[in-house]
Amino acid sequence: MTTLDATSTRPIAVVGATGQQGGATVRALLDANTPVRALVRHTDSEAARALTKLGADLVAADLDDPEGLRAAFTGVRGVFAMTTPGYDQRTDIEVRHGHAIADAAAAARVPHVVYSSVGGAERHTGIPHFDSKREVEDYLAARGLSTTFVRPVFFMDNFAQFITPAVEDGTLVVRLPLPAGIALQMIAVEDIGAVAAAAALEPGRVAGGAIEIAGDELTGEQIAEAYQRRHDVPARYDPLPIDVLAGDADQRAMFEWFARPPAFQADLAATRALAPRTRTFEQWLTTQPDL
């Protein structure tokens, strides 16, 4: 019997359970009939209460409270965690939080950690919020923790939140600071959760302890064509000049990296082996509201 087999009745702790990736992981674990300890900052929030209705056990935890975090990790079967520099792009805070997660997991003797990083983190991209995640990866390894690194690519969900197409004179226009003809690998956040849950439940399924994951790979033109089919309206792709990101060094570095293929190098077949329902971009679009 393996260590994970012996502790299979224990919960898996999910850091940031009310966030996009954390929430997706909670739902995937609960769908697999796995007890979940959902770590949230505010247990009385609407998002936290929604997790309770799904069957998760809520625990208040703060990444700036090492003792509370260790207590939240005590007695769990495993931990899912991700970090972010936040809206103010403080990569130093992201690294500090990653260290806190690793230290707490080590102190609580957590059997296995799944850390959601980013595609290309290990390839020294020079992109600040990629490099900070690599620092967290390195620290988790240095603490001697059994860890699986899940490295997702560009989120399809960005098209619903930050880069929604515009409708101009009856034509749907997709714009990205990405040259025409350059393919971009993408994945739906819900599918990141499915992969993370699979890795948490059966770590041995991820060869080498790390996997770069994607559900599709499309050029800007192909993205526009998918929108056209979904909404039955004319659509086109207009690439933006990289200078539109002149005020955001992090995003500019990322899109410059995208423009020099190969950038992301996800294994789409391996992704679907872990999460067979992983969606293509066109399938993800069917889950989005009509125009």
Side-chain angles (χ1 to χ4, degrees):
M1 179 178 287
T2 68
T3 301
L4 287 181
D5 289 335
T7 60
S8 60
T9 59
R10 296 181 184 179
I12 291 177
V14 176
V15 175
T18 56
Q20 283 191 311
Q21 291 190 59
T25 303
V26 168
R27 290 187 289 274
L29 288 168
L30 291 174
D31 284 347
N33 298 313
T34 300
V36 172
R37 183 177 295 175
L39 276 59
V40 299
R41 293 186 67 182
H42 305 289
T43 57
D44 59 349
S45 71
E46 183 177 345
R49 290 196 299 269
L51 295 177
T52 300
K53 291 178 182 178
L54 292 177
D57 178 27
L58 294 185
V59 174
D62 191 318
L63 296 181
D64 291 315
D65 175 13
E67 289 303 312
L69 194 58
R70 184 184 69 174
F73 286 168
T74 299
V76 300
R77 171 183 178 178
V79 166
F80 166 82
M82 52 85 61
T83 55
T84 172
Y87 291 111
D88 53 1
Q89 294 298 302
R90 289 284 302 276
T91 55
D92 60 319
I93 292 177
E94 174 167 36
V95 171
R96 188 179 78 221
H97 286 167
H99 285 198
I101 290 166
D103 290 341
R109 301 182 182 274
V110 172
H112 184 249
V113 175
V114 174
Y115 176 63
S116 182
S117 180
V118 66
E122 81 287 10
R123 298 196 291 276
H124 309 293
T125 64
I127 303 164
H129 78 278
F130 284 36
D131 290 349
S132 54
K133 289 175 177 60
R134 180 58 180 180
E135 287 189 52
V136 175
E137 288 188 12
D138 288 342
Y139 192 76
L140 284 159
R143 288 306 315 255
L145 291 157
S146 170
T147 308
T148 298
F149 300 117
V150 172
R151 298 176 178 139
V153 296
F154 193 78
F155 293 0
M156 294 177 187
D157 305 71
N158 288 333
F159 287 95
Q161 296 177 299
F162 308 115
I163 47 176
T164 54
V167 178
E168 300 175 2
D169 298 324
T171 297
L172 193 150
V173 184
V174 178
R175 292 187 174 96
L176 287 170
L178 183 72
I182 298 293
L184 178 65
Q185 290 190 333
M186 300 174 287
I187 190 164
V189 171
E190 203 68 19
D191 297 329
I192 300 172
V195 171
L201 294 170
E202 297 183 70
R205 294 181 65 190
V206 179
I211 182 170
E212 191 165 342
I213 60 172
D216 212 342
E217 183 173 16
L218 300 175
T219 65
E221 294 88 341
Q222 291 169 327
I223 291 170
E225 290 168 3
Y227 271 106
Q228 181 166 309
R229 288 189 292 271
R230 165 67 177 89
H231 297 291
D232 195 25
V233 296
R236 72 172 189 269
Y237 178 62
D238 283 352
L240 296 170
I242 196 68
D243 286 343
V244 300
L245 298 174
D248 190 330
D250 186 285
Q251 289 293 300
R252 179 171 184 141
M254 183 177 70
F255 275 93
E256 287 177 338
W257 184 69
F258 290 164
R260 300 189 300 269
F264 288 132
Q265 298 174 29
D267 187 330
L268 277 69
T271 303
R272 286 192 170 83
L274 287 167
R277 295 181 181 177
T278 296
R279 281 156 282 200
T280 65
F281 183 71
E282 198 147 353
Q283 289 169 335
W284 173 81
L285 277 180
T286 66
T287 70
Q288 302 305 299
D290 292 332
L291 293 176

